[in-house]
Each structure stands twice: as structure tokens, then as C-alpha cells.
Amino acid sequence: MNKNKEIQALQREQKQLKKEIKKIEKAIPIYLISFVFIMFLIVFYIEDKVYPFFNGIFNFIAFALCLIILLSFFLVSFQRKKIKEKQKLSKAIGSNLYRLMKLENE
């Protein structure tokens, strides 16, 4: 009886982890699009103020695009890292479940 409760608790935890993974995967494009849009708004807002520092609009736009791409890459890589950690935890729970169920059947 105790093993059944433990198995059910682990299954619920694994199911919750899988839901969280799917939620993060669905949210990545939304985060990325909104982040890029907000960065473009910020860039165009501060364009007049930083124009003299870059000696032209082309240099400023090139710098801004590189910055946006770099920050977007970090955002996506951070989200992927969270997904990998949750997948690793889910696999560990799965192997623990397999071990418990195998012992129960024998």
C-alpha cells in the first residue's frame, strides 16, 4: 500500500514537470517576440540621445541589432537550460518509478 502511494506521488510529480516543460516551450516564442519588440522601442526612443556617440545612424543601428541578437540568444539559452534541468529531473523520476514498479511486480 505504501509503495502504491509513493508511485502515485512520483507519477504526479513527473506529470507536473512535463506540463511545466510544455508551458516553457510554448512561452519561448512569446517571450522572444515581446523582448525584441520592446528592445526596438527602446532603441528608437534613445536614438536621438546617443547619436553623437556612434558617429552616425548606421553604427548605432548595427550596435543595437547586435545587442538585441545577443540578448535574445541569452534569453533563449536560459530557457533551454531550464527545460534541460526539468527533463533531467523527469528522467530521474521515471527511472525511480521503473525501479519501484519492477520491484512491485517481482
Side-chain angles (χ1 to χ4, degrees):
M1 188 72 132
N2 191 16
K3 284 186 182 182
N4 286 337
K5 288 183 180 180
E6 186 178 354
I7 289 172
Q8 289 175 349
L10 287 173
Q11 285 175 340
R12 280 193 301 270
E13 186 177 350
Q14 187 179 32
K15 191 174 183 180
Q16 182 181 4
L17 282 171
K18 287 182 180 183
K19 283 182 182 180
E20 290 175 9
I21 290 170
K22 287 188 184 233
K23 184 178 177 183
I24 292 171
E25 286 176 345
K26 285 182 180 181
I28 288 175
I30 295 168
Y31 288 151
L32 191 60
I33 290 170
S34 60
F35 175 76
V36 169
F37 180 70
I38 290 171
M39 286 298 291
F40 273 118
L41 289 177
I42 291 171
V43 165
F44 287 120
Y45 177 72
I46 63 170
E47 178 182 355
D48 294 334
K49 295 174 178 78
V50 295
Y51 181 80
F53 298 116
F54 289 97
N55 296 328
I57 193 72
F58 179 72
N59 292 337
F60 175 68
I61 290 176
F63 174 76
L65 284 175
C66 290
L67 184 67
I68 290 171
I69 290 170
L70 183 69
L71 291 175
S72 298
F73 174 74
F74 284 130
L75 178 73
V76 170
S77 64
F78 178 72
Q79 294 294 328
R80 291 289 177 194
K81 184 178 176 184
K82 280 185 8 183
I83 289 173
K84 291 290 183 187
E85 289 173 0
K86 289 186 186 287
Q87 284 177 339
K88 186 183 280 187
L89 185 60
S90 176
K91 285 183 182 181
I93 291 172
S95 63
N96 194 10
L97 277 171
Y98 176 75
R99 184 179 50 80
L100 284 173
M101 288 178 164
K102 185 177 179 183
L103 290 175
E104 186 177 284
N105 288 337
E106 290 180 355

